[in-house]
Amino acid sequence: MTLILGLDPGTATTGYGLVSEAPDGDLQAIEYGTIQTPAGMSDPERLVILYQRLREIILLHRPQGSAVEKLFFQKNVRTAIAVSQARGVILVALAEAGLTIGEYTPNEIKQAVTGFGSADKHQVQEMVRILLNLRGIPKPDDAADALAVAITHLHTNHY
């Protein structure tokens, strides 16, 4: 069984999702959620929390690989910088753990999960629910996005 850690980066909220793939190709959500950092805290302090929590998740679950959503386009420069900083911390933690790292654009994720690169957010979330045989759409959105990143990595790479 292959276990992949998918991540949807952010400084305030980073979504994570662990998806396993059985030899027969069945997918299962093992765990998902978010890493939250307190508002009002300095960026360096928030990044330390993100790094430490991500290391805990990696040590607890021991995934075989990982995947991160690429920063594609942001209208807000401040948001783009914050997401870039979070991505950098995430990439360091994953590399330090010796994990292979896949990086995917939002359109690549939509294409892999729904078969349509211009799918809307709800279509992606519904396909995540179906592919992982979940009763409801995973909440919050950041966690659902992270599961989609992990599914993309499993569909793109053969372990």
Side-chain angles (χ1 to χ4, degrees):
M1 196 152 63
T2 302
L3 182 62
I4 299 299
L5 171 61
L7 294 152
D8 179 31
T11 303
T13 305
T14 290
Y16 71 91
L18 289 138
V19 177
S20 68
E21 182 177 35
D24 66 1
D26 282 349
L27 300 177
Q28 180 182 4
I30 302 302
E31 181 179 312
Y32 57 89
T34 58
I35 301 169
Q36 305 267 346
T37 61
M41 191 175 264
S42 73
D43 286 346
E45 291 171 313
R46 292 176 113 175
L47 294 170
V48 167
I49 290 171
L50 173 58
Y51 175 79
Q52 290 172 338
R53 182 69 182 109
L54 183 54
R55 283 189 36 109
E56 291 170 5
I57 292 166
I58 293 167
L59 290 171
L60 177 64
H61 293 284
R62 306 268 184 209
Q64 284 79 48
S66 64
V68 183
E69 185 172 345
K70 281 184 183 177
L71 180 60
F72 186 66
F73 174 75
Q74 291 283 338
K75 294 176 187 170
N76 183 328
V77 174
R78 178 172 278 173
T79 300
I81 290 169
V83 173
S84 294
Q85 289 174 334
R87 271 183 44 81
V89 165
I90 288 167
L91 294 173
V92 167
L94 297 173
E96 180 182 65
L99 295 173
T100 59
I101 304 168
E103 297 180 78
Y104 305 97
T105 66
N107 284 354
E108 289 171 328
I109 295 164
K110 292 173 185 179
Q111 179 68 41
V113 174
T114 70
F116 180 57
S118 296
D120 66 32
K121 193 170 200 66
H122 180 74
Q123 289 170 314
V124 174
Q125 292 172 343
E126 180 61 18
M127 281 305 298
V128 166
R129 185 194 69 74
I130 291 167
L131 290 169
L132 297 176
N133 197 28
L134 300 172
R135 290 180 189 216
I137 290 174
K139 296 290 180 197
D141 289 354
D142 303 286
D145 293 346
L147 290 168
V149 174
I151 291 168
T152 299
H153 193 65
L154 284 164
H155 284 176
T156 306
N157 297 277
H158 303 286
Y159 283 86

